[in-house]
């Protein structure tokens, strides 16, 4: 019986047999067939990328690796898009590439199938949720419930090979995920983007100068970088700024206003890093957001921070509701 050594993501090496878990969740059909079944809400975007030079290059690369008997994960490379339609996206969690251990990747960033041991990156995510929201650690690592409630769990690269992290980086996937992120950022609904790791943060320019967007940066939750500065994941508490949403739209509680006022800079021009981007974007569209109407210069910063708090509360409500 043939066997070889493989190293699951961020874990010790294990011996894998040919009839073991290696082929579990592996891509067993041509990538073109998978793309033919693209979700309806994302299909125009995927078809445009598929016909482009990066798309054709990726198809040729994947076909060549399959011909060479490479084990490619996951089988459902578009699963994040299947579970989260374009019009339902409220939170985007952006990672690097899928887990490269046997049977771990399932097409959702940071998620593993039920029954799989929690990878270290996912354990760190759950640890921060417990520290931040007081939630008990889940008994499994499948994040499908998040995806169905509007959390787009997207990797910058959508495929990988067994035991070879980053094997499909810069092969064409990035052009597709750039289009996905840009398309989500153009929607009218408020969106929270969580960019975890360098590959994810490379997409930050796609989110510049857009109103109603909250972008949070941190290192990747992998143990290799989770505690490293300047943007550590551990201890950062990604949702620590969430505050209760006021009882009525447009109204702030005294406690929230007091906390925000204490942190507000003396000059309204420095009230919030995204202030100018929000105003410029509104002017280009021929109007200003409802929550900015009637505000004088001194209160603009406070209103923007209230809006930021509302966005974070939305992300917190979605994520905490699945446990």
């Amino acid at each position: 019986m043939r066997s070889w050594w493989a190293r699951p993501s961020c874990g010790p090496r294990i011996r894998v047999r040919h009839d073991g878990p290696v082929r579990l969740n592996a891509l067993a059909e041509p990538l073109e067939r998978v793309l033919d079944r693209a979700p309806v809400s994302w299909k125009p975007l995927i078809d445009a990328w598929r016909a482009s030079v990066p798309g054709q290059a990726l198809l040729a690369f994947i076909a060549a690796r399959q011909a060479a008997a490479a084990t490619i994960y996951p089988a459902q490379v578009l699963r994040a898009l299947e579970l989260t339609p374009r019009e339902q996206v409220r939170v985007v969690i952006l990672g690097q590439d899928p887990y490269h251990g046997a049977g771990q990747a399932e097409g959702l960033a940071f998620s593993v199938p039920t029954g799989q041991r929690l990878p270290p990156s996912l354990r760190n995510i759950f640890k921060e949720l417990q520290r931040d929201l007081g939630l008990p650690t889940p008994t499994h690592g499948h994040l499908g419930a998040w995806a169905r409630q509007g959390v787009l769990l997207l990797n910058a690269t959508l495929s990988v090979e067994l035991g070879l992290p980053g094997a499909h980086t810069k092969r064409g996937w990035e052009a597709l995920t750039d289009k996905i992120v840009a398309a989500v950022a153009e929607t009218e609904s408020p969106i929270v983007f969580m960019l975890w790791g360098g590959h994810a943060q490379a997409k930050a320019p796609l989110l510049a100068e857009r109103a109603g967007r909250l972008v949070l940066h941190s290192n990747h939750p992998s143990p290799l970088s989770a505690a490293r500065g300047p943007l550590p994941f551990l201890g950062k508490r990604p949702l620590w700024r969430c505050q209760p949403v006021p009882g009525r739209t447009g109204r702030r509680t005294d406690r929230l206003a007091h906390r925000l006022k204490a942190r507000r800079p003396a000059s309204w021009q420095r009230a919030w890093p995204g202030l100018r981007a929000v105003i410029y974007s509104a002017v280009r569209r021929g109007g200003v957001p409802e929550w900015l109407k009637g505000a004088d210069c001194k209160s603009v910063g406070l209103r923007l921070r209230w809006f930021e708090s509302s966005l974070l509360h939305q992300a917190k409500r979605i994520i905490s509701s699945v446990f």
Side-chain angles (χ1 to χ4, degrees), residues 28-110:
E29 60 182 332
L31 181 58
E32 291 187 352
R33 293 184 185 175
V34 178
L35 299 180
D36 288 339
R37 302 191 299 268
V40 175
S41 62
W42 299 100
K43 189 170 179 59
L45 186 150
I46 292 174
D47 288 345
W49 163 81
R50 183 177 179 179
S52 67
V53 173
Q56 291 297 309
L58 178 72
L59 288 172
F61 171 74
I62 295 292
R65 295 304 299 148
Q66 288 179 317
T71 301
I72 299 174
Y73 297 116
Q76 297 173 285
V77 295
L78 302 180
R79 193 176 188 190
L81 307 182
E82 294 169 358
L83 295 185
T84 312
R86 182 172 174 176
E87 63 277 4
Q88 295 181 14
V89 177
R90 296 295 177 266
V91 179
V92 178
I93 296 180
L94 198 58
Q96 295 184 179
D97 59 352
Y99 295 122
H100 54 85
Q104 289 182 312
E106 59 172 353
L108 302 173
F110 301 106

Side-chain angles (χ1 to χ4, degrees), residues 98-152:
Y99 295 122
H100 54 85
Q104 289 182 312
E106 59 172 353
L108 302 173
F110 301 106
S111 179
V112 294
T114 301
Q116 278 278 345
R117 182 179 179 182
L118 295 183
S121 295
L122 188 55
R123 287 204 300 269
N124 282 338
I125 292 172
F126 288 160
K127 183 184 301 183
E128 285 303 293
L129 285 175
Q130 182 180 31
R131 180 182 304 172
D132 189 7
L133 307 178
L135 299 173
T137 301
T139 57
H140 63 83
H142 178 59
L143 305 180
W146 292 17
R148 294 183 183 91
Q149 296 186 60
V151 181
L152 181 60

Side-chain angles (χ1 to χ4, degrees), residues 25-309:
N25 292 342
L27 183 63
E29 60 182 332
L31 181 58
E32 291 187 352
R33 293 184 185 175
V34 178
L35 299 180
D36 288 339
R37 302 191 299 268
V40 175
S41 62
W42 299 100
K43 189 170 179 59
L45 186 150
I46 292 174
D47 288 345
W49 163 81
R50 183 177 179 179
S52 67
V53 173
Q56 291 297 309
L58 178 72
L59 288 172
F61 171 74
I62 295 292
R65 295 304 299 148
Q66 288 179 317
T71 301
I72 299 174
Y73 297 116
Q76 297 173 285
V77 295
L78 302 180
R79 193 176 188 190
L81 307 182
E82 294 169 358
L83 295 185
T84 312
R86 182 172 174 176
E87 63 277 4
Q88 295 181 14
V89 177
R90 296 295 177 266
V91 179
V92 178
I93 296 180
L94 198 58
Q96 295 184 179
D97 59 352
Y99 295 122
H100 54 85
Q104 289 182 312
E106 59 172 353
L108 302 173
F110 301 106
S111 179
V112 294
T114 301
Q116 278 278 345
R117 182 179 179 182
L118 295 183
S121 295
L122 188 55
R123 287 204 300 269
N124 282 338
I125 292 172
F126 288 160
K127 183 184 301 183
E128 285 303 293
L129 285 175
Q130 182 180 31
R131 180 182 304 172
D132 189 7
L133 307 178
L135 299 173
T137 301
T139 57
H140 63 83
H142 178 59
L143 305 180
W146 292 17
R148 294 183 183 91
Q149 296 186 60
V151 181
L152 181 60
L153 298 166
L154 185 69
N155 279 312
T157 301
L158 301 186
S159 63
V160 75
E161 293 183 21
L162 174 65
L164 298 174
H168 294 186
T169 301
K170 297 182 180 180
R171 294 290 185 174
W173 282 126
E174 291 82 359
L176 174 60
T177 52
D178 282 355
K179 288 180 177 292
I180 293 172
V181 171
V184 172
E186 290 174 356
T187 60
E188 294 298 326
S189 302
I191 305 290
V192 178
F193 290 88
M194 299 184 182
L195 310 184
W196 295 346
H199 290 77
Q201 291 165 18
K203 299 187 185 299
L206 300 173
L207 311 175
E209 298 189 6
R210 298 190 187 277
R213 305 294 173 260
L214 180 60
V215 184
L216 304 177
H217 299 253
S218 75
N219 286 351
H220 193 277
S222 164
L224 299 176
S225 59
R228 191 173 60 205
L231 296 172
F233 181 86
L234 291 177
K236 185 178 179 61
R237 300 177 66 185
L239 303 177
W240 73 273
R241 285 175 289 177
C242 293
Q243 302 292 338
V245 170
R248 297 179 182 177
T249 302
R251 183 178 179 183
R252 301 181 299 275
T253 62
D254 292 339
R255 182 170 66 88
L256 176 60
H258 175 74
R259 293 186 64 180
L260 295 178
K261 183 177 180 181
R263 295 188 298 176
R264 185 177 53 177
S267 171
W268 70 273
Q269 293 177 327
R270 300 190 301 272
W272 189 53
L275 172 61
R276 291 172 182 162
V278 171
I279 294 178
Y280 291 166
S281 177
V283 169
R284 281 196 298 270
R285 293 183 304 178
V288 296
E290 289 293 332
W291 46 272
L292 272 181
K293 288 182 178 179
D296 56 23
C297 291
K298 292 183 180 180
S299 64
V300 165
L302 184 58
R303 293 196 182 198
L304 284 169
R305 284 188 177 264
W306 171 82
F307 186 64
E308 177 188 21
S309 176

